[in-house]
Amino acid sequence: MTAPVRRAGVFAALCTLAFAVPLGGPVLGAALAAVVVLGAVAVTDGPLFDLLAYPGDYEAGRLYGLITFVLAAATLGVIAVVESMPIAIFVGTVLLVGYGNLADRLGRIWTDSDVLLVAAFCSGATLAAVVGQAGTRAIADGTVEGLEAALPTMIFLAASGALLAALLRDVLFVQDDPVVMLAVGLLGWLLAELEPALSLTGLEILAALVVTVLLGYASYALETASIAGMLTGILLGLLTIVLGGYGWFIVLISFFAIGGLSSKYRYEEKEELGVAEDNDGARGSGNVLGNAAVAIAAVLGYAASSASLLPTDLEPTLFLFAFAGAVATAMSDTLSSEIGSVFDEPRLITTLERVEPGTDGGVTWQGEVAGIVGATVVAAISYALFPAVSTVGAAIIVAAGIVGMTVDSLLGATLEGSVLGNQGVNFLATLSGALCCALLVLSLALLG
């Protein structure tokens, strides 16, 4: 057994001590955490130090990796005791990180495939998180009755946390597990507050996982997404299906599919012009989040409104149109840039002067047409899937997509590079499309 596997095994065993909180209360949990931290401070060399030390700990001569890991878990525990975070989320999160790492380390004995290692981490983390939540609920209730009814929610929370943890591990470092733990815990807390909006059965949750994982892997296999981009897409897809529905997911996946394929359009020419996406067009997590963050916020708003966590006069339908407006913008902007960039003589949107291909804020008429077609596709899908989207509503979605695409070009010509990065521009553009769509619908409703 390798040193990293042994260390991960010890860390996982220590994570199991999180059950001390539901078993003996926060005082016992705090006492155990204090003992572990004091022990980590006292051990500065020897076999035990070698067992628990991360590579960076040797230079400092302290087990800072273990200390920060325990402090992160203790912070989540304090939040769970003082605030409304369920104890089950705290225990499930700690076990998720610990046993997910162990599964990853065990997987490295047999394979070096990035996809298989991510699958090993997510599988081990999800299972551990479900066991943590179920065990905590059983301890609190004194019985295992009722766990079956809660299983779909536990699976959803565990899988969402595992995907976020895998994503953060891909873009950070293994030593950043404390950051991963805190982020996963906060996500679990947020999603737990939306539990009244969750109505899917266990089989439906599993089906959603299978669908999103298969499509995510397809995007990776087709080289339209990196590992981080694949994980981000799977997580966002899962949240969209569970909190919105398959109709919402179809709208979102239409952007990922069409937008991803458009990056391959005349790729060699784009490379020669210097306007091609990096990594052979495979989109990373930053690109996915920049284009989809507003849409996912709309999904969360819809779920919160449906669960009566927002003011009752805030219609859930507004979040649907905000979602469609954001996706229409993302689709319009992506098609406009990916298709329009291969045509000569783009003009700067602010002055209409001719600029070099790839210049921020440069537009072509071919790209503008492609963008309008992209917004129309999103509007047509929304019209077909949602009864709330009438013909007028579909026209509003198209208009919102065009507005968002134009805002993206204007920001590119004025602020990109000096104030904003590409992902920041994408975020603000999709936000403008979402707000435009929701406000136009609200205005029509008030006038009617």
Side-chain angles (χ1 to χ4, degrees):
M1 186 181 294
T2 64
V5 172
R6 289 195 295 270
R7 181 174 62 243
V10 173
F11 272 65
L14 291 174
C15 288
T16 308
L17 296 176
F19 277 117
V21 176
L23 281 170
V27 174
L28 177 59
L32 288 174
V35 168
V36 174
V37 170
L38 290 175
V41 172
V43 176
T44 58
D45 56 20
L48 186 57
F49 183 89
D50 292 335
L51 174 64
L52 297 173
Y54 284 109
D57 292 338
Y58 285 95
E59 183 177 349
R62 283 281 187 274
L63 294 173
Y64 285 127
L66 176 58
I67 293 171
T68 55
F69 190 90
V70 174
L71 290 178
T75 300
L76 277 186
V78 170
I79 295 174
V81 171
V82 176
E83 299 294 338
S84 61
M85 175 189 287
I87 297 295
I89 295 296
F90 157 66
V91 176
T93 297
V94 175
L95 266 64
L96 181 155
V97 176
Y99 283 91
N101 288 348
L102 178 58
D104 171 79
R105 288 300 175 183
L106 289 171
R108 290 178 186 274
I109 297 176
W110 293 286
T111 183
D112 58 358
S113 167
D114 291 336
V115 170
L116 292 179
L117 290 174
V118 164
F121 175 87
C122 289
S123 299
T126 299
L127 179 60
V130 170
V131 170
Q133 294 177 70
T136 303
R137 286 173 179 258
I139 292 169
D141 298 339
T143 178
V144 295
E145 294 181 6
L147 289 182
E148 184 177 352
L151 185 60
T153 298
M154 291 190 292
I155 293 174
F156 169 61
L157 296 175
S160 299
L163 288 166
L164 177 61
L167 170 61
L168 292 176
R169 284 165 52 86
D170 185 76
V171 299
L172 299 174
F173 301 98
V174 175
Q175 292 89 336
D176 292 322
D177 279 337
V179 177
V180 174
M181 185 181 297
L182 291 171
V184 171
L186 294 176
L187 174 66
W189 186 12
L190 169 63
L191 296 180
E193 294 292 326
L194 300 177
E195 183 173 350
L198 303 179
S199 59
L200 299 184
T201 66
L203 288 177
E204 289 171 329
I205 294 286
L206 290 175
L209 270 172
V210 170
V211 168
T212 53
V213 168
L214 288 177
L215 290 174
Y217 177 73
S219 69
Y220 174 77
L222 292 171
E223 298 182 343
T224 60
S226 64
I227 288 288
M230 175 189 71
L231 288 169
T232 305
I234 294 172
L235 175 58
L236 299 186
L238 179 63
L239 294 178
T240 302
I241 291 175
V242 175
L243 299 178
Y246 277 96
W248 295 61
F249 176 69
I250 291 172
V251 173
L252 183 65
I253 203 64
S254 69
F255 160 67
F256 285 141
I258 298 173
L261 292 175
S262 71
S263 66
K264 302 293 185 180
Y265 175 72
R266 293 166 68 171
Y267 188 80
E268 292 76 12
E269 294 181 42
K270 294 176 189 176
E271 279 190 312
E272 293 177 3
L273 292 171
V275 298
E277 289 281 343
D278 295 331
N279 302 319
D280 295 325
R283 297 179 181 273
S285 58
N287 187 284
V288 175
L289 286 174
N291 282 293
V294 174
I296 297 305
V299 173
L300 293 172
Y302 175 82
S305 179
S306 300
S308 300
L309 297 177
L310 294 178
T312 55
D313 58 348
L314 199 56
E315 279 290 330
T317 303
L318 288 178
F319 291 103
L320 170 61
F321 277 98
F323 172 83
V327 177
T329 296
M331 182 82 86
S332 296
D333 175 55
T334 299
L335 294 188
S336 175
S337 60
E338 293 292 349
I339 293 176
S341 61
V342 298
F343 292 96
D344 295 330
E345 300 182 351
R347 295 180 180 271
L348 195 66
I349 191 172
T350 51
T351 64
L352 297 183
E353 295 178 357
R354 289 183 177 176
V355 292
E356 292 294 320
T359 301
D360 295 331
V363 297
T364 63
W365 71 263
Q366 295 94 336
E368 294 295 295
V369 170
I372 294 171
V373 171
T376 303
V377 169
V378 174
I381 295 173
S382 301
Y383 176 78
L385 294 176
F386 303 112
V389 179
S390 62
T391 304
V392 174
I396 289 175
I397 293 172
V398 175
I402 296 172
V403 168
M405 175 180 64
T406 304
V407 168
D408 186 281
S409 298
L410 289 171
L411 291 174
T414 55
L415 299 179
E416 188 169 358
S418 58
V419 177
L420 295 171
N422 179 254
Q423 311 314 328
V425 170
N426 288 340
F427 174 80
L428 291 177
T430 54
L431 179 62
S432 67
L435 291 175
C436 174
C437 199
L439 290 174
L440 284 174
V441 170
L442 181 60
S443 300
L444 285 179
L446 292 175
L447 292 174

